[in-house]
Amino acid sequence: MKASSLAALSIPGIAFAAVLGARVSPGRHGPVPSPTQLRYDDPAASTENARGGYGASASAGVLLSEAPVADGYRVLREAEEDHERAFREALDPEATRAARVERATALAAREATDPELVALGKRLFIEDWPGATHVPLEGATRCAACHYRSGIGGSGGLADGQSSHLNPPALFGAALLERAAAEISRDLREKRNRNRPLISHGIDFGTATHPKGVAPDLVIRPFGRSGRWATIDEAVADMSREKLHVTSSPGERRALEAFISSLDAPTVEPPDAARMTDLFMRFERGRRAFNQLGCAECHLPEIVLDDGTVVRAWTDLRQHDMGDSTWLTAPLWGIAASAPYLHDGRALASLDAAILAHGGEAQRARDAYLHTDDQTRGDVNLLLVSLIPKARIRIAGR
Amino acid sequence: MDPGEQAADLRLENHEIAAHRWSKEWLFQDGDDLFEHDFGVHEGYGPGAFRVHRQGVGGPDALSCAECHHRGGPNGSGDLSENAFFEGDGSDPASAFERNPPHILGLGIEERLAAEMSAALANARAGAITAARSSHSPVQIALRAKGVSFGSLTVRPDGSQDDAQLEGVDSDLVVKPFGWKGSAATLREFLTDGFQVHFGIQFSRPEAVGDGRPWDRDGDGSPNEITDGMMSAIVLYVARLEIPVISPPKDSDLLARFGHGLEVFQDTGCATCHVTSLPLRNPTLKITTGLTSNVLTEGEAPRPRFDVSNSDGTPIFLFSDLKRHAMGAALADARPTYITTIAYGLPNGPKERTKIPADVFLTRPLWDLADTAPYLHDGRAPTIDAAIELHGGEADASRAHFDALSSEDKAALRIFLLSLSRYPRIEFR
């Protein structure tokens, strides 16, 4: 960012970092949001981590807190420790690898929110796996190769789709999705046993004889573009085998699961109501239009869990016939930072193109969007670009 | 929410830069925005998207520069999953040149170093031509620049040359520091090609690819996709990025091993090609009319403190001789690469098609090696040791020395190489 705009930043930690000589980058979505914007979504209800809140997220970056200066110091100190440790571990890479597997096994029994387990998982996510083999257009040497945009754990780029033609999604909020899916699955099984219609959390999954949007086993699988995995653990096991070509130990998978679970759910950052009132009003109209056009029938803005947790993921967790094939309703949270769009990235950087590429069960909503006026289409786009990952003070690339 | 709004903000022209309408800071910001920008079809992206490039056209295969330059921080290297497949048939990866994205730090310095070396070689040739003319007989000279030998050259009184004894440089004697095979001499040339092959975004210039109308060569209906001024901003941006540093361990035992590692690096013969440092005399990079940048002192922090007082030049710890070397059959591409050069490097000389043999690569600068795994031109080496083991050809002897090292020495070498890194940077995103 240009030097002159550094002074304009109101967050002391940022200016502080600049003084330290570190480069400060704003998110790709523009200027640093004000703290009031960050609190637009009630953090207590919706953005808190499903497995224990902010505390567990320490090593995923540092959440912007009341003390950003301390946060800046902390991430710099962590970076220095990482640098020093890399030297120590280089003394004997094979022993290091063996020690890591052992350590993962030892920590595996701990809570998923355990800071040491999360920290180990983060390293396993970022560091190259020694056994990873080079097969052109098939995979990579580490998880973060394809999950990095807007910070570690984010989505991949167009190039990362590779020969599978599956665009790597962001993993932010995965724990919350897993929890919601498990709760709905449990609910559906109960309803089937009691011969009730399969409606859970307001979402219609058909009947026991004709389930709709869910596999016959009534297990909701929120991960994978087509709804392949019910849990983070399953996804990690398959992806490490298919994409890294390595076999991960149960302890390592547990650590990776803990790290992925620690990633914050995305948030909403609408235009500032005071300074950009016109745009804010368009954002509000966008929310209404999203419902009226029919987008919200599948991209359900929120699911309220039994304990009152609100999952603002903009998905119904159902599979739908989209014309060419069956896909899970993609969660739209964080979508602003997840180009290219759609399961194979075919919509490139255009949300408009992504909406217009909808077919099958979404044909009616897509047509409604196509035939509405330019103003309304713009409103909907404005809503979508407000759905962003949660920003943190962090060391770039880690 | 006009989708073209942001793109319109990024447009600027060289004549505006020449008239000093934009400050360097503003131009840097513009380049930064372009680096992170996801290009859209309305901005000339495309047509289409091809993960494996098509011969002479390219992909497109990415939405933004940042997509493939992110490892270890912004402007870093790319992962295996972001390897580019150049000059292929549009579908089969085996038909293409597979390349791992390198980091793009310190490139302004590399351009200046290469330019000074090219100038030294051109001077030597000019002197030889004068000598040949006055003596009416061919003159053979040894070619050296910044202590690096480029073999020898024989020039005849008529100005023609015999370049059979040249080493590691084309017959135009232009040192080309960019690309894994050393295919481009200037950032502008290299970045222009990058926009073409990765985004399908091109200049409205005759040399742009395609047979469409002059203002829309690729015929995608989007005219004037990028301006000279925008490219100037990007060149300035890249030239002013942070510069890698040597950041040794703090622990005293590790620090001793680091020192020993540097000795091993030199004794084993690594430093024969990965020359520890090259002296830079003139750090002023000319970008366009009215726009220059001092590649040592100007630009973003963090950057090492350079000793600019030395009249012999400022040592740049690049760990490359900026020369091409044969690396053996195991590392070779399936076929040679061809680049366009200007005959004899003359300003108005005819264009020539120059071959770079399949097994020949530029000595990869090792600065910031710590953040750039997986290693080698196609990322085939997941570890530093594996990368060294894969060296062949001219590096055969050094590799054999490495093989014979004790495990202590190998560990010291790894520790030295891991110190070639960059400062951690704080970001808010």
Side-chain angles (χ1 to χ4, degrees):
Chain A
M1 66 189 307
K2 64 180 159 184
S4 61
S5 66
L6 276 177
L9 298 175
S10 56
I11 299 167
I14 302 289
F16 174 73
V19 173
L20 282 180
R23 178 177 133 157
V24 179
S25 310
R28 65 170 58 246
H29 30 268
V32 174
S34 71
T36 46
Q37 284 174 303
L38 285 174
R39 281 198 290 270
Y40 179 83
D41 251 5
D42 177 15
S46 65
T47 60
E48 188 168 314
N49 186 295
R51 292 201 174 158
Y54 300 143
S57 307
S59 75
V62 172
L63 190 79
L64 183 71
S65 69
E66 297 301 311
V69 174
D71 289 347
Y73 266 124
R74 182 150 81 240
V75 292
L76 276 179
R77 195 177 58 237
E78 281 174 9
E80 280 194 2
E81 286 165 5
D82 283 350
H83 188 61
E84 193 74 9
R85 189 182 51 214
F87 291 119
R88 262 197 322 274
E89 296 188 343
L91 286 173
D92 189 346
E94 276 171 37
T96 297
R97 162 92 182 124
R100 194 172 302 162
V101 175
E102 254 177 58
R103 183 163 161 72
T105 308
L107 293 177
R110 296 200 191 173
E111 287 285 302
T113 53
D114 181 84
E116 283 180 73
L117 188 63
V118 171
L120 178 65
K122 185 183 179 189
R123 292 184 55 201
L124 291 170
F125 195 91
I126 293 180
E127 291 174 7
D128 299 287
W129 285 61
T133 45
H134 171 223
V135 184
L137 282 186
E138 295 291 348
T141 53
R142 58 178 196 147
C143 310
C146 297
H147 297 284
Y148 62 95
R149 279 169 64 112
S150 287
I152 299 300
S155 63
L158 184 65
D160 298 296
Q162 300 193 314
S163 60
S164 64
H165 302 295
L166 287 177
N167 175 19
L171 310 179
F172 302 131
L176 216 44
L177 285 181
E178 179 176 325
R179 210 175 110 195
E183 188 173 302
I184 294 172
S185 299
R186 211 163 42 237
D187 203 15
L188 293 180
R189 279 195 301 278
E190 263 174 41
K191 293 217 156 71
R192 179 183 56 192
N193 293 344
R194 291 190 282 135
N195 265 328
R196 305 277 296 275
L198 300 180
I199 298 174
S200 174
H201 298 68
I203 307 163
D204 184 1
F205 290 92
T207 62
T209 42
H210 293 98
K212 202 169 78 180
V214 61
D217 63 5
L218 302 188
V219 174
I220 307 290
R221 295 180 174 82
F223 304 122
R225 293 280 179 180
S226 56
R228 184 175 168 192
W229 301 289
T231 64
I232 296 170
D233 179 64
E234 289 170 24
V236 166
D238 285 349
M239 283 289 98
S240 57
R241 199 179 58 248
E242 293 169 21
K243 295 297 179 190
L244 305 185
H245 317 107
V246 299
T247 312
S248 46
S249 76
E252 288 173 319
R253 284 201 297 281
R254 172 77 176 147
L256 280 167
E257 181 195 2
F259 168 67
I260 293 168
S261 301
S262 79
L263 296 168
D264 293 318
T267 185
V268 185
E269 186 195 309
D272 187 276
R275 287 186 299 124
M276 294 176 276
T277 310
D278 287 357
L279 285 178
F280 180 77
M281 294 315 292
R282 293 195 64 178
F283 164 83
E284 286 296 337
R285 281 200 297 276
R287 287 168 85 104
R288 284 197 294 277
F290 193 79
N291 286 319
Q292 283 156 5
L293 295 172
C295 313
E297 282 170 30
C298 300
H299 292 289
L300 208 58
E302 54 184 49
I303 297 173
V304 184
L305 301 186
D306 293 344
D307 67 355
T309 305
V310 184
V311 184
R312 293 199 171 97
W314 307 78
T315 174
D316 59 1
L317 295 176
R318 285 189 303 182
Q319 294 163 321
H320 296 275
D321 174 7
M322 297 305 294
D324 59 343
S325 186
T326 298
W327 303 104
L328 187 81
T329 304
L332 299 187
W333 57 6
I335 189 172
S338 71
Y341 303 115
L342 297 182
H343 66 273
D344 55 0
R346 69 175 67 176
L348 304 175
S350 170
L351 289 165
D352 194 57
I355 297 170
L356 292 175
H358 280 56
E361 293 178 41
Q363 188 71 43
R364 205 173 44 80
R366 175 255 182 210
D367 290 347
Y369 174 83
L370 177 66
H371 293 119
T372 191
D373 54 292
D374 286 354
Q375 173 85 11
T376 306
R377 273 200 295 275
D379 295 346
V380 171
N381 275 269
L382 191 65
L383 164 69
L384 294 175
V385 298
S386 303
L387 308 181
I388 62 161
K390 202 168 187 64
R392 279 167 174 271
I393 287 178
R394 66 172 88 229
I395 296 296
R398 294 187 199 152
Chain B
M1 290 308 289
D2 168 13
E5 201 175 304
Q6 189 182 359
D9 285 349
L10 299 175
R11 294 189 83 81
L12 63 146
E13 305 287 343
N14 260 351
H15 64 77
E16 298 171 356
I17 295 172
H20 299 287
R21 204 173 130 193
W22 310 107
S23 70
K24 283 183 188 177
E25 286 69 29
W26 196 94
L27 290 169
F28 180 86
Q29 176 61 35
D30 199 62
D32 198 17
D33 289 349
L34 282 164
F35 191 84
E36 295 243 333
H37 182 64
D38 286 330
F39 287 98
V41 172
H42 58 280
E43 294 158 331
Y45 187 93
F50 292 83
R51 191 65 183 79
V52 175
H53 289 193
R54 297 155 294 164
Q55 194 89 38
V57 183
D61 59 357
L63 288 185
S64 71
C65 311
E67 189 176 291
C68 299
H69 294 283
H70 64 89
R71 242 191 107 115
N75 319 113
S77 63
D79 269 286
L80 211 50
S81 47
E82 286 124 21
N83 276 5
F85 293 84
F86 294 112
E87 297 178 46
D89 63 5
S91 60
D92 179 11
S95 70
F97 297 115
E98 183 174 5
R99 297 287 183 264
N100 185 242
H103 73 73
I104 57 158
L105 307 177
L107 299 194
I109 291 179
E110 287 181 24
E111 175 167 342
R112 281 305 310 149
L113 282 171
E116 288 185 352
M117 292 167 91
S118 302
L121 299 181
N123 263 344
R125 176 172 54 194
I129 291 174
T130 310
R133 280 190 181 140
S134 57
S135 67
H136 302 289
S137 59
V139 170
Q140 187 180 26
I141 49 160
L143 287 173
R144 287 186 84 77
K146 297 193 188 295
V148 177
S149 166
F150 288 91
S152 67
L153 182 73
T154 304
V155 292
R156 306 184 191 93
D158 65 359
S160 66
Q161 66 186 36
D162 174 359
D163 42 33
Q165 304 298 314
L166 272 186
E167 282 173 22
V169 67
D170 297 318
S171 60
D172 60 3
L173 304 188
V174 174
V175 176
K176 304 180 184 73
F178 302 124
W180 280 97
K181 294 189 81 116
S183 53
T186 65
L187 277 173
R188 180 174 290 268
E189 182 186 338
F190 194 58
L191 294 167
T192 301
D193 186 55
F195 270 73
Q196 167 64 49
V197 301
H198 294 305
F199 311 133
I201 288 180
Q202 52 186 216
F203 286 108
S204 32
R205 290 225 225 106
E207 64 263 34
V209 176
D211 49 13
R213 291 160 181 274
W215 56 86
D216 182 20
R217 286 279 165 193
D218 60 4
D220 63 2
S222 176
N224 301 317
E225 294 174 353
I226 190 168
T227 62
D228 273 328
M230 289 160 81
M231 192 48 76
S232 297
I234 293 175
V235 171
L236 179 85
Y237 168 72
V238 171
R240 289 167 72 97
L241 289 173
E242 70 170 272
I243 293 163
V245 296
I246 302 176
S247 180
K250 295 194 169 55
D251 174 87
S252 57
D253 171 55
L254 292 171
L255 189 58
R257 290 172 190 267
F258 159 85
H260 179 54
L262 175 56
E263 286 167 16
V264 174
F265 184 79
Q266 285 161 337
D267 296 347
T268 309
C270 311
T272 315
C273 299
H274 293 288
V275 173
T276 313
S277 76
L278 294 174
L280 177 63
R281 288 190 175 79
N282 176 4
T284 304
L285 180 71
K286 186 173 185 303
I287 293 162
T288 181
T289 307
L291 183 65
T292 62
S293 188
N294 183 318
V295 293
L296 293 185
T297 58
E298 292 178 24
E300 64 170 3
R303 51 182 53 225
R305 253 186 235 108
F306 290 104
D307 174 13
V308 290
S309 63
N310 194 331
S311 59
D312 290 337
T314 303
I316 304 296
F317 294 92
L318 182 68
F319 300 96
S320 170
D321 55 7
L322 297 181
K323 179 180 164 182
R324 294 194 203 118
H325 298 274
M327 297 307 296
L331 280 182
D333 286 326
R335 60 179 198 275
T337 298
Y338 291 91
I339 62 170
T340 302
T341 56
I342 309 292
Y344 300 115
L346 298 170
N348 297 312
K351 284 184 180 174
E352 287 180 333
R353 194 162 174 259
T354 297
K355 173 178 160 179
I356 307 175
D359 63 341
V360 170
F361 294 89
L362 185 83
T363 304
R364 176 70 208 147
L366 299 186
W367 54 4
D368 194 27
L369 175 119
D371 292 308
T372 57
Y375 305 105
L376 299 180
H377 65 277
D378 56 3
R380 69 176 72 179
T383 62
I384 292 174
D385 282 33
I388 298 172
E389 293 287 355
L390 283 162
H391 279 57
E394 295 178 39
D396 252 336
S398 301
R399 203 233 18 260
H401 283 148
F402 172 79
D403 286 338
L405 290 178
S406 69
S407 60
E408 285 283 298
D409 286 349
K410 283 185 184 177
L413 184 60
R414 278 196 295 274
I415 286 174
F416 164 68
L417 291 171
L418 282 176
S419 76
L420 309 181
S421 57
R422 59 196 284 194
Y423 281 131
R425 319 185 192 190
I426 295 178
E427 67 175 10
F428 179 75
R429 79 163 42 179

